[in-house]
Amino acid sequence: MNKILKIFIVILIIILIILGVGKYYYEINTKAISTNENIKEKQIEIPKGSTTTNISQILKENNLIKDKNIFRVVSKLKGTEGKLKAGFYTFDTSMTPHEILDKLVEGGNSKNIVKITIPEGFTVEKIAEKLEKNDMANKEKFIDLTYDISKFSTKYDFLKTIPKNMNLEGYLYPETYEIYKDSTEEDIIDKMLYEFSKQYNKVIKESVIPQDLNIHELITLASLVEREAKVDKDRNLISSVIYNRLKIDMPLQIDATIQYAMDERKERLLYDDLEIDSIYNTYKNKGLPIGAICSPGIKSIKASLKPEETNYIFYVLKKDGSGQHFFTDNYNEFLKVKNGK
């Protein structure tokens, strides 16, 4: 046997081994996750505009497929690329990638779905109240669960900077949700945290946070911006004022933190209100409050990551009905606008 023939045979054997291993890997990963003895049902949402890659990620996160790449290969072989539909689905872990793809081509359903909007600036309490009003959750149980951080922090690393004895204030992302009617309070909280995680991975994770704040401090600051800003153009400026005050160790003196500390909200605070004994009283306590005072939207989060570069340390709402604030580094100017002079 000549040398060339020997090399050819070796290469052929290697190719056959690779093909055999590849075939074995493909077959293993196109099987269902569970046997008949250990089947779990999962309810998931495939958002509009999702690619096969996005869908494979969602399925993998929910432990419905073994391998994202094999799922995409199966989709190409079946010719389902571009045919997978958005919607709400109920899958179980006994389904193979082929069966899941067939269902995704058929489309999801909107039966037993309730749509609800959680606005920017809502607190945990307001969210719970709205859910209860729509017969979607028990207010007390929902609020209690938001204090059980350990139940969610293994899945969401960004929760690990939350101080002890605090709740999920600030992390229940404001958005319009479509929720199954039989969802539990825990399911709803998880859905809101998952929505926050998408923004975290897209906007926060790789960003440099000013003044070396941690994630919890950033969300706390963003919640202050959310509650104080009336118009979008003021967000980065209010963020700038807060950072500037933190830098010079000046009390933040933010009225929204007083409102949060009070049992009932007032349209206008009195001087006596500023004396309230609370860890959220930023007139008495320097630095950021211990936690967020609401759920900030993405605009306030972005403004808190990239404040305007200014020397402003004062701002006051203009009296012209525009919703805009007047900003300055001069206390006398601040007083003039505040007093309408």
Side-chain angles (χ1 to χ4, degrees), residues 122-147 167 169 172 183-186 188-189 263:
F122 257 37
T123 61
V124 163
E125 185 172 359
K126 277 200 164 190
I127 293 170
E129 284 175 356
K130 185 163 187 176
L131 290 168
E132 185 171 73
K133 186 177 179 182
N134 285 271
D135 297 321
M136 298 173 69
N138 175 277
K139 176 184 173 182
E140 189 175 329
K141 186 175 180 182
F142 185 91
I143 292 173
D144 285 346
L145 268 172
T146 65
Y147 282 91
N167 69 352
E169 191 76 88
L172 303 182
S183 294
T184 65
E185 287 80 3
E186 185 176 337
I188 296 171
I189 290 171
D263 291 333

Side-chain angles (χ1 to χ4, degrees), residues 10 17 38-39 79 105 127 154 176 178 217 276-277:
V10 170
I17 290 171
N38 195 25
I39 297 171
V105 170
I127 293 170
T154 52
T176 296
E178 291 180 310
E217 291 166 333
I276 187 172
D277 184 19

